């Protein structure tokens, strides 16, 4: 297995700050906007975005976490049952501008599932997608992110791993992993 660093701690901090400023440019004081992190990995990105926005704006932006397990189109196709993650949405999304947040945009299936899951909390005025990494040329569905930290060309056999200190990683980093052909 080859593990290549594509975003280090310093660059990741800069990316998050840039994404937050882009959000502020489009959402102002966030009075009509909410953030929903897609479980499991988008939760960490959403928390980091929320913390950075709180520092810049001086107020908390409503942020929740959405589990899409039972809304996925491959839910019943797996040999082992999937384990659901927690959903925490303690606000209505009715009439709000929703920013869905995930770490990596790959096929688009998780985002499609999130759109289905989100409807249980109301009908939003609009939905945007924020991702740290957009894996180009891998989409199964016509889904595109509004806010992107970095675009990465990758092969189907590769995967992108986002490490967070909150998950006991030594430092925040994003890796491109290629399985060896042994």
């Amino acid at each position: 297995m080859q593990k290549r660093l594509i975003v280090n701690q310093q660059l990741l901090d800069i990316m998050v700050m840039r994404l937050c400023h882009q959000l502020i440019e489009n959402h102002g004081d966030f009075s009509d906007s909410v953030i929903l992190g897609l479980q499991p990995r988008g939760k960490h990105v959403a928390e980091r975005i929320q913390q950075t926005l709180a520092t810049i704006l001086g107020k908390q932006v409503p942020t929740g976490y959405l589990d899409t397990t039972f809304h996925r189109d491959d839910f019943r196709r797996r040999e082992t049952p999937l384990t659901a993650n927690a959903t925490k949405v303690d606000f209505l999304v009715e009439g709000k501008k929703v920013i869905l947040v995930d770490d990596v945009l790959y096929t688009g299936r998780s985002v499609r599932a999130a759109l289905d899951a989100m409807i249980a909390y109301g009908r939003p005025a609009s939905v945007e997608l924020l991702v740290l990494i957009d894996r180009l040329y891998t989409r199964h569905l016509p889904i595109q992110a509004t806010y992107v930290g970095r675009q990465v060309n990758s092969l189907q056999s590769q995967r992108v791993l986002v490490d967070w200190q909150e998950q006991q990683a030594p430092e925040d980093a994003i890796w491109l992993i290629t399985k060896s052909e042994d």
Side-chain angles (χ1 to χ4, degrees), residues 41-98:
R41 294 172 306 275
K43 173 184 177 182
H44 301 291
V45 182
E47 288 172 346
R48 190 65 61 90
I49 294 289
Q50 181 190 37
Q51 292 165 3
T52 306
L53 286 172
T55 301
I56 297 168
L57 299 172
K59 72 176 209 173
Q60 291 293 320
V61 175
T63 302
Y65 317 118
L66 193 60
D67 180 61
T68 64
T69 303
F70 300 115
H71 296 274
R72 293 185 56 91
D73 58 4
D74 61 354
F75 171 65
R76 299 203 188 284
R77 293 181 180 190
R78 296 176 183 245
E79 293 194 18
T80 58
L82 291 172
T83 304
N85 295 291
T87 291
K88 177 189 164 259
V89 182
D90 52 6
F91 48 82
L92 290 176
V93 300
E94 186 71 35
K96 298 285 186 184
K97 297 174 188 170
V98 175

Side-chain angles (χ1 to χ4, degrees), residues 4-168:
R4 184 171 58 100
L5 182 67
I6 56 175
V7 178
N8 64 19
Q9 171 85 50
Q10 184 180 12
L11 183 55
L12 186 55
D13 291 343
I14 291 168
M15 281 173 38
V16 168
M17 184 65 73
R18 177 178 49 82
L19 290 167
C20 286
H21 282 284
Q22 288 175 335
L23 287 169
I24 292 168
E25 188 176 312
N26 291 331
H27 293 270
D29 66 354
F30 283 80
S31 58
D32 293 326
S33 302
V34 297
I35 298 171
L36 285 178
L38 304 186
Q39 285 277 39
R41 294 172 306 275
K43 173 184 177 182
H44 301 291
V45 182
E47 288 172 346
R48 190 65 61 90
I49 294 289
Q50 181 190 37
Q51 292 165 3
T52 306
L53 286 172
T55 301
I56 297 168
L57 299 172
K59 72 176 209 173
Q60 291 293 320
V61 175
T63 302
Y65 317 118
L66 193 60
D67 180 61
T68 64
T69 303
F70 300 115
H71 296 274
R72 293 185 56 91
D73 58 4
D74 61 354
F75 171 65
R76 299 203 188 284
R77 293 181 180 190
R78 296 176 183 245
E79 293 194 18
T80 58
L82 291 172
T83 304
N85 295 291
T87 291
K88 177 189 164 259
V89 182
D90 52 6
F91 48 82
L92 290 176
V93 300
E94 186 71 35
K96 298 285 186 184
K97 297 174 188 170
V98 175
I99 303 143
L100 291 178
V101 177
D102 207 358
D103 60 346
V104 178
L105 176 57
Y106 181 39
T107 63
R109 294 185 184 286
S110 294
V111 176
R112 191 219 41 88
L115 292 170
D116 287 347
M118 180 182 56
I119 294 302
Y121 298 93
R123 185 177 179 189
S126 65
V127 179
E128 296 177 324
L129 177 62
L130 180 148
V131 295
L132 289 178
I133 301 294
D134 180 0
R135 289 184 63 177
L136 298 172
Y137 316 118
T138 59
R139 221 70 78 239
H140 293 178
L141 300 170
I143 291 175
Q144 186 170 342
T146 312
Y147 309 97
V148 175
R150 174 177 251 173
Q151 294 179 322
V152 174
N153 291 324
S154 60
L155 303 171
Q156 291 283 67
S157 61
Q158 296 173 315
R159 69 183 194 99
V160 175
L161 174 66
V162 181
D163 280 338
W164 295 103
Q165 289 177 343
E166 294 88 0
Q167 295 178 300
Q168 315 322 310

